[in-house]
Amino acid sequence: MDYNSINFHEFVSAKLAENGFRIAHITKELMDERADDFMNFVNGIRREYSGAYGWSEESKEYFLNPLKDKFKFSFTILNEKDEICFVNFSSVYDKIIHNHCTYARKDTRSFNFAKLHIIKLCQAGIEAGFTHQEGFWPKTNNGSIILFMRMGWQIDSIRNNKELFMIADLNKVRNQTYDLVIAGK
């Protein structure tokens, strides 16, 4: 397949639109306008999984923190009512995109948001000259780890016997994830 001929941004937007959703950059302006919405969304999920992963709530400063290129590589998926259904915050560490967190609303966790988002994020990274992404996952978050490995991520190491450090080649992950979506997997 000639992946270079695919407009991945249009593909993601069209797939989301089929079910009444849209993807948007989390810009500084959007964050300033909707910081409380993002905080309530993320902290609700962090409360939901606090027992399983030891997560605690984040302060408003966490959401307003202008990490390097955070507002270039962070995305949200919104429904027709403009409600937040999915959030990913990513920034740049040296020469790699770092995935800080990815959360999906409970009632939308089977809507392919993570896959569609990762296609969008990989393409944005590739267009900006990046080749890799990294992130940490609680080692007991089996569903998420399996999903990301199916998308082409690899486990690099374990930190503090609690978190997996995973890495991704942007081209490989974008293409493999696109193939999963097309195949309905």
Side-chain angles (χ1 to χ4, degrees):
M1 169 167 294
D2 179 17
Y3 295 103
N4 293 323
S5 67
I6 299 168
N7 184 325
F8 289 101
H9 296 298
E10 285 183 11
F11 172 77
V12 169
S13 293
K15 279 296 195 188
L16 288 168
E18 288 174 5
N19 296 305
F21 297 97
R22 66 183 175 86
I23 193 164
H25 264 107
I26 300 175
T27 62
K28 181 176 180 345
E29 295 76 22
L30 181 61
M31 182 55 71
D32 288 343
E33 179 183 317
R34 297 193 63 184
D36 288 337
D37 293 339
F38 283 108
M39 190 168 76
N40 290 333
F41 178 82
V42 169
N43 284 335
I45 293 168
R46 290 183 72 81
R47 279 190 304 276
E48 178 184 356
Y49 288 99
S50 65
Y53 306 132
W55 289 347
S56 57
E57 293 185 35
E58 297 291 353
S59 68
K60 195 167 191 172
E61 290 74 30
Y62 171 83
F63 296 93
L64 299 174
N65 184 336
L67 298 168
K68 182 179 178 187
D69 288 334
K70 173 183 172 182
F71 299 117
K72 187 174 184 178
F73 296 111
S74 297
F75 295 93
T76 186
I77 296 176
L78 306 162
N79 65 15
E80 291 172 329
K81 296 178 185 177
D82 214 30
E83 296 169 324
I84 299 168
C85 299
F86 178 94
V87 166
N88 169 268
F89 292 114
S90 293
S91 68
V92 173
Y93 285 6
D94 194 25
K95 295 180 182 183
I96 195 163
I97 296 172
H98 182 83
N99 179 353
H100 292 279
C101 63
T102 303
Y103 301 108
R105 198 167 81 179
K106 192 173 197 165
D107 62 337
T108 62
R109 289 188 185 146
S110 62
F111 287 28
N112 272 337
F113 289 168
K115 291 176 196 155
L116 293 168
H117 159 265
I118 210 69
I119 292 169
K120 177 85 170 177
L121 178 57
C122 286
Q123 185 61 32
I126 291 164
E127 290 170 359
F130 291 91
T131 59
H132 288 83
Q133 185 177 11
E134 66 181 19
F136 291 95
W137 278 256
K139 76 176 193 177
T140 57
N141 189 347
N142 296 331
S144 185
I145 292 165
I146 290 167
L147 171 62
F148 277 78
M149 289 183 74
R150 286 182 59 225
M151 291 189 289
W153 286 68
Q154 297 179 332
I155 297 170
D156 183 77
S157 59
I158 298 177
R159 177 171 77 169
N160 300 328
N161 201 31
K162 293 181 181 182
E163 296 177 312
L164 298 180
F165 177 64
M166 296 177 66
I167 57 173
D169 175 291
L170 296 181
N171 272 300
K172 176 186 175 188
V173 168
R174 180 201 62 194
N175 299 347
Q176 192 164 317
T177 305
Y178 173 81
D179 290 342
L180 288 172
V181 172
I182 292 299
K185 295 181 180 178

